[in-house]
Amino acid sequence: MKTANKTVTAERLVRDALEKAKHFADYNIFTFINEEGALEKAREIDAKIARGEKVGRLAGVPYALKDNFLSPKGEATASAHILEGFTSPITATAVKKLEDEGAIMIGRTNMDAFAHGSSTESSYFGPTLNSHNKERVAGGSSGGSAVAVALDIVEFATGTDTGGSIRQPASFNGVYGLKPTYGTISRYGVVAMASSTDCIGFFTKTPDDMDLLMEIASGQDPKDLTTLPDYYNNNPGTESDDSCAKIGIIKDFDNESVHPGIRQALKNKVELLKSKGHEVVELEMPTLKYALAAYYIIVPAEIASNLSRYDGVRYGFRSEKSENLEALYKNTRSEGFMPENKRRIMIGNFVLSSGFYDAYFLKAAKARTLIVKEYEKAFRECDFILTPVSPNPAFKLGEKVNDPVAMYLEDLMSVSLNLAGVPGLAIPAGETKEGLPLGLQLVGPRRSDKSLIKFSKELA
Ligand code: GLN
């Protein structure tokens, strides 16, 4: 990570990043550019450096913030109309930790509204374009963050991953994207999607940058009771011996419905691992085929609950044409949510309603337990698992946006990790013949994040 010093000032780094952000404006990456705020912070850091004072590990490093992270800088809208006009009085724990180390937020990035989606086409502000092909989607939901790193505007960007929203856009744009073990980074101050699977993570260009960001951002937070004690910095025991690792490949994920380029990328990496002396084993994980169905019941149920707070009274947008309170709620929610948000609220309330709870939610919750156990079993047989992130590389803009099931199917290989709480690191793995990036994910047992990042260098 290029930090500021006496010769390369923070102001220089920030100005360069802002210039690049403007240069790539047609990609629709940012929902807000923090020009004044970023320059002001850069000058403060430069003054400290000039005085010879100690500066943080990210001194002057410009970064991009996904629009669902709260901070008083810019409107935090989660790219949703219903949050337009909302400026947060609080700062997310992750943001505070990064900025305490000197990182400088240059802008908020575009995303599917409330992080519901896999293409960033469900943003109120319109889609972000793919970094390698402007006719293709950026992936989602953290599309803006992935493209900001891929186009080299910033060295890193934040993301959230509830069911693939970091790993899939990372792989669609050829960068690294980590979904950590559930509970590694505090969710305090991040707009909730599905609280039992939401994870905070990053996009970077190298595994070393990812490691540094994890060292800084991870750790227990009294404001998020699901955070784990800081294993990331305090548990050298999690480091595995990389000289000979056992890597599992999931048999069911290698079939005709997976894009040939992705299958070939997986084959190439398997050969690379073998040539380096690692052992590759095939895994049977039959329960994973239920992950997508379970995810699209559990997650909408949590969404329906988390989105019930947007009433037109407390945050952001309020419909003006309401004659009474009931109409105010109804009109604000009808006008303020995107169709995909509404679809999930309806599915969520349906699967939780009396008479349907046992048939849907309870069954999905049981399937989730089996998936957790399936991963535990797999990690008794191998150290890490290598799989595709998604069945296809970046698809065309407009291709799936009116077909929710086709869009959900893109999440086939990413959601089981969130249900199980295990970490996954998307790594770049070459390109298709047409020049579209291909990605794979390295999956590890809970709390193996540090060794997972380290081991990913074997695949570079
Ligand atoms: N694409 C998935 C969904 O739409 C994942 C979203 C996410 O991780 N935020 O639910």
Side-chain angles (χ1 to χ4, degrees), residues 66 115-118 140-141 160-165 193 295-296 299 344 411:
K66 188 176 179 182
H116 307 168
S118 313
S141 62
T160 55
D161 191 313
T162 300
S165 277
M193 178 175 164
Y295 174 89
Y296 275 101
V299 166
R344 295 188 186 212
D411 302 335

Side-chain angles (χ1 to χ4, degrees), residues 66 68 111-112 114-119 140-142 160-169 179 193-194 197-199 292 295-296 299-300 303 340 344 407-408 410-411 414-415 418:
K66 188 176 179 182
N68 56 352
M111 54 185 280
D112 287 295
F114 286 110
H116 307 168
S118 313
S119 67
S141 62
S142 322
T160 55
D161 191 313
T162 300
S165 277
I166 291 176
R167 290 160 287 146
Q168 186 252 31
K179 177 210 110 60
M193 178 175 164
T197 69
D198 285 349
C199 287
L292 193 72
Y295 174 89
Y296 275 101
V299 166
I303 287 172
E340 185 57 31
R344 295 188 186 212
M407 191 72 90
Y408 297 170
E410 285 302 304
D411 302 335
S414 53
V415 296
N418 300 77

Side-chain angles (χ1 to χ4, degrees), residues 389-445:
V389 175
S390 61
N392 293 298
F395 42 91
K396 288 208 170 95
L397 285 157
E399 189 182 321
K400 296 180 199 279
V401 71
N402 295 318
D403 185 348
V405 175
M407 191 72 90
Y408 297 170
L409 281 168
E410 285 302 304
D411 302 335
L412 198 65
M413 293 149 167
S414 53
V415 296
S416 67
L417 280 72
N418 300 77
L419 293 177
V422 297
L425 175 65
I427 57 165
E431 290 183 356
T432 63
K433 288 189 209 97
E434 303 79 32
L436 294 175
L438 295 165
L440 297 173
Q441 60 183 336
L442 197 58
V443 189

